[in-house]
Amino acid sequence: MNSATGRKPTKQINIGKVIIGGGFPIAIQSMTNTKTADVEATVTQIKALQKAGCEIVRVSVPDRPSAAAFKDIKAQIDIPIVADIHFQADLAVAAIKAGADKIRINPGNIGGPEDIAKVVYAAAAADIPIRIGVNSGSLSKQVRARPASTAEKLADSALENIGLFEESGFDNIVLSVKSSDVMETVKAYRLLSAKTDYPLHLGITESGTLETGAIKSAIGIGLLLAEGIGDTIRVSLTAEPVHEIDIAKQILQALGIRRFNPEVISCPTCARCEVDLIPIAEQLERHLKTHSKLVKVAVMGCVVNGPGEAADADIGLAAGRGKGVIFSRGLAVKTIKETEFFAELIKMVDEFEVK
Amino acid sequence: MNSATGRKPTKQINIGKVIIGGGFPIAIQSMTNTKTADVEATVTQIKALQKAGCEIVRVSVPDRPSAAAFKDIKAQIDIPIVADIHFQADLAVAAIKAGADKIRINPGNIGGPEDIAKVVYAAAAADIPIRIGVNSGSLSKQVRARPASTAEKLADSALENIGLFEESGFDNIVLSVKSSDVMETVKAYRLLSAKTDYPLHLGITESGTLETGAIKSAIGIGLLLAEGIGDTIRVSLTAEPVHEIDIAKQILQALGIRRFNPEVISCPTCARCEVDLIPIAEQLERHLKTHSKLVKVAVMGCVVNGPGEAADADIGLAAGRGKGVIFSRGLAVKTIKETEFFAELIKMVDEFEVK
């Protein structure tokens, strides 16, 4: 563990222009859900993901037309692109030739050692990394049959495959061991982190829709990152992929690992609250999502924690009956009416100079 | 740490008919945001919270009319009710006389030792517990001025107050040390858990609206519960309180600590997916939230993890082009059309017998 950062030191791996591991920032990934052969739709989705903050994008390559489209997609985007491959090693080779910045293969279904050798040879020639991406839903029959926990099966499957790669002299490797069970996933990554220094790609697979998947991902990814484990994250949601970026950013920000947007501290309201705080907090949060200024804004409903939180924040509002006191850098600066809350807070964020 | 449960052993505390600590299930709390003096509105909200799964409810008592209403509220509900008190020890005494099942006081603002003694005396006479609820936004001036981290200030403030209580022979105590900063909160609870065996009430205070507050709470509460720390939880959201129960249940379920509803495993979809999976997963999740049968349902978009996850679940769907294979207890039982997915899955959940 690096005592300054609290993070497990890992090998540095280059994915196009993005570096993971080696103490570099934890990168945010997502994956397209368009048809890859539909170049226009895929490029449009990747651009939307990039705009939202996606730093590495993965694209499924299930067939030849998808592999053929890969080159055209790559030519039109400027974030690293990863080809997601299952069943057919030849498609991995085709994607590498088409310019993939990384290949993800699944040891549970990619075939035998000769198939893996084919992919490793092509990746080595192109000098790109391979992610060994193990999933609980696609463990090989042999691994599945072992008398072990899901976590052990996941970690062992990854470790056995690392062995095959290293025998070929290939160590440009990223690893993942995902399960739809949060705690099995956490245990699998802990086992893996204790045994290898390759960077780890974290995620809870098949975690569900936006609402439940966000909670499962926050807990699983959050637990691991808080222990210093993990170098890149992908929140998997049954939802438009752009939501995955928002949740990933929120997880990193809540842990204090990276900051992206203003932070809003707002109280749950109770019988003490004399203003209609919920819509104001919601409106403020929505608005500030579009801001990149790293300010902390507190919106508090009463005098209990209000002045304290408002004073601790960069900008604060401690509301009373139909009015509120505005704080700036810890000092009460003025009293305003409830109808002015939103406009005043936005104005103060706009004018605030981060030191 | 209890090696069987992985939980820190804590003192058993009775809050009305609900027991926390001592290995009892982690209880879910929420708090009303109606005017407490409005008995009808408050009772209506408490009943809605109870229906959603709230096991202990807290009500703010900011003034005499609220204390007067407390007795009428208690007479109309059947979950334990906690009086939340700030600034005025007399209101705590009034709430205890009105039948409060527990009192929460805030050492940062309740007054001096004589004020605390007054509350302790009344609580001891009524044989009810007191929560010493410290918040970063309302630390006393003296504590705030110390050269220490927020986590240390929170934990020390709680520990110093325990001392005052124990000197009076009172040990019917629950503790909380909440900050709006997730990691400071986690650190404060770790410090506290290492030094006392009183049960801990967990929460991230002022965590924001439903969307961001759910993530912060999932990470903070999740981290602590995964370490075996915590006996009751309250998710604080700037939202209708009933959402707090839903998020609390999801956190406990994701950690495998308690189960409440069917679990839906659903894939994020990608270029491989040949059906419109997102709305089906959303519709299914919404529908199953009303179910209490503890089944695991997998809704998967393709053949990669589809058959594996579908077979691991109680009921599964592995979709292909416009159709899907239904699994029951690991076995493929039939192939159905995409239009039949939702109805068939619901029917199977209804008919499934949990063993």
Side-chain angles (χ1 to χ4, degrees):
Chain A
M1 204 61 62
N2 179 314
S3 62
T5 63
R7 282 173 61 192
K8 155 97 190 276
T10 50
K11 183 177 160 71
Q12 178 181 322
I13 295 288
N14 294 42
I15 304 164
K17 64 184 176 187
V18 174
I19 304 174
I20 64 165
F24 278 82
I26 290 160
I28 296 176
Q29 309 207 13
S30 183
M31 187 167 179
T32 54
N33 68 354
T34 52
K35 291 290 161 211
T36 306
D38 183 342
V39 174
E40 194 184 333
T42 304
V43 167
T44 300
Q45 194 173 63
I46 292 172
K47 290 192 169 170
L49 284 167
Q50 181 181 12
K51 191 166 171 228
C54 179
E55 294 161 325
I56 299 167
V57 69
R58 183 157 47 116
V59 169
S60 192
V61 180
D63 49 31
R64 287 275 155 199
S66 302
F70 209 83
K71 195 170 185 171
D72 293 337
I73 294 167
K74 185 173 161 70
Q76 295 178 56
I77 62 170
D78 62 355
I79 55 172
I81 182 167
V82 182
D84 194 70
I85 308 291
H86 297 271
F87 307 113
Q88 293 171 266
D90 286 343
L91 289 175
V93 176
I96 292 169
K97 287 188 181 154
D101 295 301
K102 180 173 125 192
I103 293 291
R104 178 271 171 113
I105 61 169
N106 182 333
N109 63 32
I110 198 64
E114 70 286 1
D115 296 294
I116 291 175
K118 204 187 287 183
V119 183
V120 165
Y121 183 81
D127 195 21
I128 63 161
I130 297 175
R131 168 158 67 98
I132 302 175
V134 186
N135 267 67
S136 58
S138 50
L139 289 165
S140 69
K141 272 188 190 167
Q142 299 89 309
V143 174
R144 194 176 265 268
R146 292 179 192 167
S149 69
T150 300
E152 289 164 334
K153 289 177 191 175
L154 288 165
D156 287 348
S157 177
L159 291 166
E160 288 159 21
N161 276 273
I162 293 171
L164 289 176
F165 281 53
E166 288 176 341
E167 279 169 26
S168 321
F170 189 87
D171 62 358
N172 202 358
I173 297 171
V174 179
L175 301 168
S176 66
V177 280
K178 301 185 187 178
S179 162
S180 54
D181 184 288
V182 175
M183 291 313 294
E184 289 297 325
T185 305
V186 168
K187 288 175 196 162
Y189 278 102
R190 283 177 181 156
L191 289 171
L192 201 56
S193 178
K195 291 192 180 166
T196 94
D197 292 333
Y198 291 114
L200 301 184
H201 163 121
L202 304 184
I204 305 298
T205 198
E206 289 108 28
S207 68
T209 64
L210 177 55
E211 206 193 319
T212 61
I215 303 286
K216 285 188 189 176
S217 298
I219 294 177
I221 295 173
L223 265 170
L224 289 164
L225 289 177
E227 293 176 14
I229 296 172
D231 301 279
T232 178
I233 67 174
R234 191 256 171 131
V235 173
S236 298
L237 301 175
T238 310
E240 277 306 302
V242 77
H243 293 296
E244 300 184 348
I245 305 303
D246 179 43
I247 303 299
K249 283 179 160 182
Q250 287 190 50
I251 293 171
L252 291 170
Q253 184 146 333
L255 289 161
I257 291 175
R258 291 180 68 181
R259 289 184 71 189
F260 302 94
N261 302 110
E263 183 177 9
V264 178
I265 307 296
S266 63
C267 79
T269 79
C270 73
R272 288 183 182 274
C273 189
E274 301 278 3
V275 297
D276 194 13
L277 198 79
I278 297 176
I280 296 165
E282 284 175 345
Q283 197 183 359
L284 189 69
E285 249 190 35
R286 255 195 316 275
H287 182 86
L288 293 182
K289 281 239 163 148
T290 63
H291 272 245
S292 58
K293 199 180 277 184
L294 300 182
V295 292
K296 186 167 160 181
V297 185
V299 192
M300 304 289 296
C302 85
V303 77
V304 173
N305 296 315
E309 287 286 355
D312 282 349
D314 296 311
I315 297 160
L317 167 75
R321 191 185 297 267
K323 59 187 182 180
V325 179
I326 290 282
F327 288 71
S328 176
R329 295 192 194 282
L331 298 174
V333 290
K334 60 176 145 179
T335 299
I336 59 173
K337 287 185 292 187
E338 183 174 357
T339 50
E340 300 167 326
F341 284 175
F342 179 71
E344 181 65 26
L345 287 165
I346 291 302
K347 182 167 155 274
M348 291 198 63
V349 171
D350 285 338
E351 291 171 0
F352 192 86
E353 288 182 27
V354 178
K355 282 178 184 166
Chain B
M1 203 62 60
N2 180 313
S3 62
T5 64
R7 282 174 60 191
K8 155 96 189 277
T10 51
K11 183 176 161 68
Q12 178 180 323
I13 296 288
N14 294 41
I15 303 164
K17 64 184 176 186
V18 174
I19 304 174
I20 64 166
F24 279 82
I26 290 160
I28 296 175
Q29 309 207 12
S30 183
M31 187 168 179
T32 54
N33 67 353
T34 51
K35 291 290 161 209
T36 306
D38 183 341
V39 174
E40 193 184 335
T42 304
V43 167
T44 301
Q45 194 174 63
I46 292 172
K47 289 192 169 169
L49 284 167
Q50 181 180 11
K51 191 169 172 224
C54 180
E55 294 160 326
I56 299 167
V57 70
R58 182 157 46 117
V59 169
S60 192
V61 181
D63 49 30
R64 286 275 154 199
S66 302
F70 209 84
K71 194 170 186 171
D72 292 337
I73 294 166
K74 186 172 161 70
Q76 295 179 55
I77 62 170
D78 61 356
I79 55 173
I81 181 167
V82 182
D84 194 70
I85 309 291
H86 298 271
F87 309 113
Q88 293 170 266
D90 286 344
L91 288 175
V93 176
I96 292 168
K97 288 187 179 153
D101 295 301
K102 179 173 122 192
I103 294 290
R104 178 270 172 117
I105 61 169
N106 182 332
N109 63 32
I110 198 65
E114 69 286 3
D115 296 294
I116 291 174
K118 206 187 286 181
V119 183
V120 166
Y121 183 83
D127 195 22
I128 63 162
I130 296 176
R131 169 158 66 97
I132 301 174
V134 186
N135 267 66
S136 58
S138 51
L139 290 165
S140 69
K141 273 188 190 167
Q142 299 89 309
V143 173
R144 195 176 263 267
R146 291 179 193 167
S149 69
T150 300
E152 289 163 335
K153 290 176 190 175
L154 288 165
D156 287 348
S157 178
L159 291 166
E160 287 159 22
N161 276 274
I162 294 172
L164 288 175
F165 281 53
E166 288 176 342
E167 279 169 27
S168 320
F170 188 87
D171 62 358
N172 201 357
I173 297 171
V174 179
L175 301 168
S176 67
V177 279
K178 301 185 187 178
S179 163
S180 54
D181 183 287
V182 174
M183 291 313 294
E184 289 297 326
T185 305
V186 168
K187 287 174 195 164
Y189 278 103
R190 283 176 182 157
L191 289 170
L192 201 57
S193 178
K195 292 191 179 169
T196 96
D197 292 333
Y198 292 113
L200 301 184
H201 162 121
L202 304 184
I204 305 298
T205 197
E206 290 107 27
S207 69
T209 64
L210 177 55
E211 206 193 318
T212 61
I215 303 285
K216 286 188 188 177
S217 298
I219 294 177
I221 294 173
L223 265 169
L224 289 163
L225 289 177
E227 293 175 16
I229 296 172
D231 301 279
T232 177
I233 67 174
R234 190 255 171 133
V235 173
S236 298
L237 301 175
T238 310
E240 278 305 303
V242 77
H243 293 295
E244 300 184 348
I245 305 304
D246 180 42
I247 303 298
K249 284 179 160 181
Q250 287 190 50
I251 292 171
L252 291 170
Q253 184 147 333
L255 288 160
I257 291 175
R258 291 181 66 181
R259 290 183 72 187
F260 302 94
N261 302 110
E263 182 177 9
V264 178
I265 307 296
S266 62
C267 80
T269 78
C270 73
R272 288 183 182 274
C273 188
E274 303 276 4
V275 298
D276 194 13
L277 197 80
I278 297 175
I280 296 164
E282 284 175 346
Q283 196 184 0
L284 188 70
E285 248 190 36
R286 255 194 317 274
H287 181 87
L288 294 182
K289 282 239 161 149
T290 62
H291 272 244
S292 59
K293 199 181 276 184
L294 299 182
V295 292
K296 185 167 163 181
V297 186
V299 192
M300 304 289 295
C302 84
V303 76
V304 172
N305 296 315
E309 288 286 355
D312 282 348
D314 296 311
I315 296 160
L317 167 75
R321 191 184 297 267
K323 59 187 184 181
V325 179
I326 290 283
F327 288 72
S328 176
R329 297 192 192 281
L331 298 174
V333 290
K334 60 176 143 178
T335 299
I336 60 173
K337 287 185 291 187
E338 183 173 356
T339 50
E340 300 167 325
F341 284 176
F342 179 71
E344 181 65 26
L345 288 166
I346 291 303
K347 183 167 155 273
M348 291 198 63
V349 171
D350 286 339
E351 291 171 0
F352 192 87
E353 288 182 27
V354 178
K355 282 178 185 166

